[in-house]
C-alpha cells in the first residue's frame, strides 16, 4: 500500500493572513506531494515496502532517499494537522499544565520554541516533544525528526514548525521570526493536546 498525500484539513486560503494561499498551494501540492511520491519510489521493492511511516523511520540506518522523503512525508502530515483557521490562543487542560511544568509558563514555552525555530541554521524543523512523560523543545536539520534515533532531539513529536524557506519566503522573505510569530496565531492546540495524550 503506497503512501498517499493527505488532503489538507482546510482550504488553501484558510490560514490567511498568517500563512498565505500561494505558499499553502505550493507547499502541500508540490513539496509534500514530492516527498510522498519519492518516498514510495524509495521503498518500492525493499523490505520497508508496506511498513508504516513510523516503522520505516525507526528501522535503523536509512538511505538518504528514505530519510529525506520519509521524514518529509511524516513531518508535513503533522504540520498541516497542528494548524487550524480556528487556532491560536492558549492550550487548556493537561497540555497547559504540562507546558507550565516544563517551561514555567506558556510565554516561556513560546520563547523556547521560537528560539529553536529561529536559530536552526538553514533548513529544518523545531519540535515540541514528549519524552518519558515530560515536554521538551528541540530542532532538527533538513527533514529529520525526533522519532529518528541518535539526533540529540528525541522523543515523540506533538507539534512541529517547518522553517525551510519554502514554508515562508513568498510572504515573509528573510523574516523567519515574523513567520514563527504568525504560526502561533494558527496553532491547533486541540490537536496538539490530542497528540500529547496519545504520546503519554
Ligand atoms: Mn516544508
Amino acid at each position: 500500500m503506497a503512501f498517499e498525500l493527505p488532503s489538507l484539513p482546510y482550504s488553501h486560503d484558510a490560514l490567511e493572513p498568517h500563512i498565505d494561499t500561494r505558499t499553502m498551494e505550493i507547499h502541500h501540492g508540490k513539496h509534500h506531494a514530492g516527498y510522498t511520491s519519492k518516498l514510495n519510489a524509495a521503498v518500492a521493492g525493499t523490505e520497508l515496502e508496506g511498513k508504516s511511516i513510523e516503522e520505516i523511520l525507526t528501522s535503523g540506518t536509512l538511505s538518504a532517499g528514505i530519510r529525506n522523503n520519509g521524514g518529509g512525508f511524516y513531518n508535513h502530515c503533522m504540520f498541516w494537522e497542528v494548524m487550524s483557521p480556528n487556532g491560536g490562543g492558549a492550550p487548556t487542560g493537561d497540555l497547559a499544565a504540562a507546558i507550565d511544568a516544563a517551561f514555567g509558563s506558556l510565554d516561556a514555552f513560546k520563547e523556547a520554541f521560537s528560539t529553536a525555530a529561529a536559530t536552526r541554521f538553514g533548513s529544518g524543523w523545531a519540535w515540541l516533544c514528549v519524552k518519558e512523560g515530560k515536554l521538551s523543545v528541540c530542532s532538527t536539520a533538513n527533514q529529520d525528526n525526533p522519532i529518528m534515533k541518535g539526533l540529540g532531539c528525541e522523543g515523540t513529536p506533538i507539534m512541529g514548525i517547518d522553517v525551510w524557506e519554502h514554508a515562508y519566503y513568498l510572504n515573509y522573505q528573510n523574516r523567519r521570526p515574523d513567520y514563527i510569530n504568525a504560526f502561533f496565531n494558527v496553532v491547533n492546540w486541540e490537536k496538539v493536546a490530542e497528540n500529547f495524550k496519545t504520546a503519554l
Side-chain angles (χ1 to χ4, degrees), residues 166-194:
H166 69 224
Y168 61 87
Y169 216 85
L170 288 178
N171 198 26
Y172 295 97
Q173 294 81 50
N174 61 315
R175 293 174 281 113
R176 189 191 287 185
D178 290 354
Y179 157 69
I180 298 165
N181 287 337
F183 171 78
F184 280 108
N185 292 322
V186 293
V187 168
N188 182 352
W189 287 114
E190 286 180 19
K191 180 63 184 178
V192 180
E194 189 184 312

Side-chain angles (χ1 to χ4, degrees), residues 49-81:
E49 188 170 10
K51 295 202 185 300
S52 73
I53 189 61
E54 290 83 1
E55 287 173 319
I56 290 171
L57 296 181
T58 55
S59 66
T61 305
L62 303 174
S63 70
I66 292 176
R67 181 175 183 163
N68 293 332
N69 294 297
F73 174 77
Y74 177 95
N75 296 349
H76 290 84
C77 289
M78 168 169 287
F79 187 53
W80 313 131
E81 295 280 342

Side-chain angles (χ1 to χ4, degrees), residues 27 31-32 35 72 76 79-80 125 143 162-164 166-167:
H27 201 174
H31 291 276
H32 197 187
Y35 297 125
H76 290 84
F79 187 53
W80 313 131
W125 293 72
Q143 296 296 353
D162 186 343
V163 295
W164 283 58
H166 69 224

Side-chain angles (χ1 to χ4, degrees), residues 11-136:
S11 61
H12 289 111
D13 63 358
L15 304 180
E16 291 269 9
H18 310 292
I19 312 287
D20 66 284
T21 304
R22 190 69 182 129
T23 294
M24 289 299 296
E25 289 170 349
I26 298 169
H27 201 174
H28 178 259
K30 302 294 181 187
H31 291 276
H32 197 187
Y35 297 125
T36 306
S37 62
K38 287 174 191 166
L39 169 63
N40 284 327
V43 299
T46 76
E47 61 183 11
L48 296 175
E49 188 170 10
K51 295 202 185 300
S52 73
I53 189 61
E54 290 83 1
E55 287 173 319
I56 290 171
L57 296 181
T58 55
S59 66
T61 305
L62 303 174
S63 70
I66 292 176
R67 181 175 183 163
N68 293 332
N69 294 297
F73 174 77
Y74 177 95
N75 296 349
H76 290 84
C77 289
M78 168 169 287
F79 187 53
W80 313 131
E81 295 280 342
V82 299
M83 297 189 290
S84 165
N86 304 312
T92 57
D94 291 346
L95 176 61
I99 286 174
D100 287 345
F103 303 99
S105 67
L106 179 61
D107 282 346
F109 157 68
K110 285 184 175 179
E111 190 176 332
F113 187 83
S114 298
T115 298
T119 58
R120 165 51 55 188
F121 185 77
S123 298
W125 293 72
W127 304 98
L128 175 62
C129 297
V130 180
K131 194 176 179 186
E132 291 162 5
K134 196 168 181 292
L135 293 174
S136 59

